[in-house]
Amino acid sequence: MAVRPPVTDTRSRFERWLPHPWLALMLVLLWMLLLNEFSVGGLLVGGGLAIVISRLTSQFWPERPPIKSYRKALSYLGLVAWDVVVANLQVTRLILFRPAARLDVRWVVLPLELRSPEAITVLAGTITMTPGTVSCDLSADGRSLLVHCLDAPDAEEAVRAMKDRYEARLKEIFP
């Protein structure tokens, strides 16, 4: 019976204690926003939660997703935030002023060029966060996404819009 050599952890002490520092920072910021006031105790609790959550979830994503351009990623976040605001207004107008019988509710299949699981997850989340659309299922081979649209008179146009607006940008962010 062969003896395995011991596995050595090559991460620094900081990386072992805080494997995902950006996640931890975002968790602290979200915690402080949820408290709606600043206090040292709240900051300490937020920091403790951030460290615990970051360490507990680190086994689910041992490698950080590679990002080609952080500038483009921030630009994408701004675009999505804008689209969420605009889509909220559009959906409000649809619900208030158009009879349900005149809505063109449909399912569309969005063929994917993305192959990175992180990029596909971001795309599905973006589609779901934008009011009026919900990503519902990823095909078994990971090459298409099933999307429900509240009002899409032209299925091909809806697919083209999602590919041009979101997928094309995600291909520039993720390898």
Side-chain angles (χ1 to χ4, degrees):
M1 189 166 174
V3 176
R4 288 180 141 173
V7 177
T8 59
D9 194 352
T10 60
R11 298 178 300 167
S12 69
R13 182 181 302 224
F14 176 77
E15 289 173 329
R16 284 193 299 269
W17 268 96
L18 200 59
H20 300 286
W22 289 108
L23 170 67
L25 178 63
M26 292 307 297
L27 289 171
V28 170
L29 289 174
L30 286 172
W31 179 258
M32 295 308 294
L33 287 171
L34 286 171
L35 288 179
N36 204 19
E37 66 177 320
F38 180 80
S39 69
V40 175
L43 185 64
L44 290 174
V45 169
L49 284 172
I51 290 171
V52 169
I53 291 170
S54 179
R55 291 191 67 182
L56 287 176
T57 62
S58 68
Q59 63 186 343
F60 299 118
W61 47 326
E63 296 180 19
R64 292 184 182 104
I67 295 178
K68 288 190 229 177
S69 171
Y70 284 96
R71 183 181 57 78
K72 289 182 181 181
L74 287 173
S75 171
Y76 183 79
L77 287 174
L79 172 79
V80 171
W82 174 256
D83 284 355
V84 166
V85 171
V86 170
N88 268 302
L89 296 173
Q90 290 171 340
V91 168
T92 301
R93 189 185 76 231
L94 287 172
I95 290 171
L96 292 176
F97 301 114
R98 190 183 292 178
R102 288 191 40 222
L103 291 175
D104 290 313
V105 178
R106 72 178 68 234
W107 293 94
V108 297
V109 175
L110 178 66
L112 298 176
E113 296 173 34
L114 297 170
R115 294 294 168 251
S116 163
E118 293 85 9
I120 293 171
T121 301
V122 171
L123 176 62
T126 299
I127 290 169
T128 298
M129 282 189 301
T130 308
T133 55
V134 177
S135 60
C136 296
D137 196 16
L138 179 65
S139 65
D141 63 0
R143 296 188 183 270
S144 61
L145 196 61
L146 181 63
V147 178
H148 182 267
C149 300
L150 178 65
D151 187 47
D154 183 9
E156 288 82 21
E157 173 60 25
V159 168
R160 188 196 57 73
M162 286 183 266
K163 289 184 77 60
D164 291 348
R165 191 131 178 106
Y166 302 126
E167 187 180 34
R169 286 178 170 87
L170 287 172
K171 286 176 12 185
E172 296 174 353
I173 297 170
F174 293 97

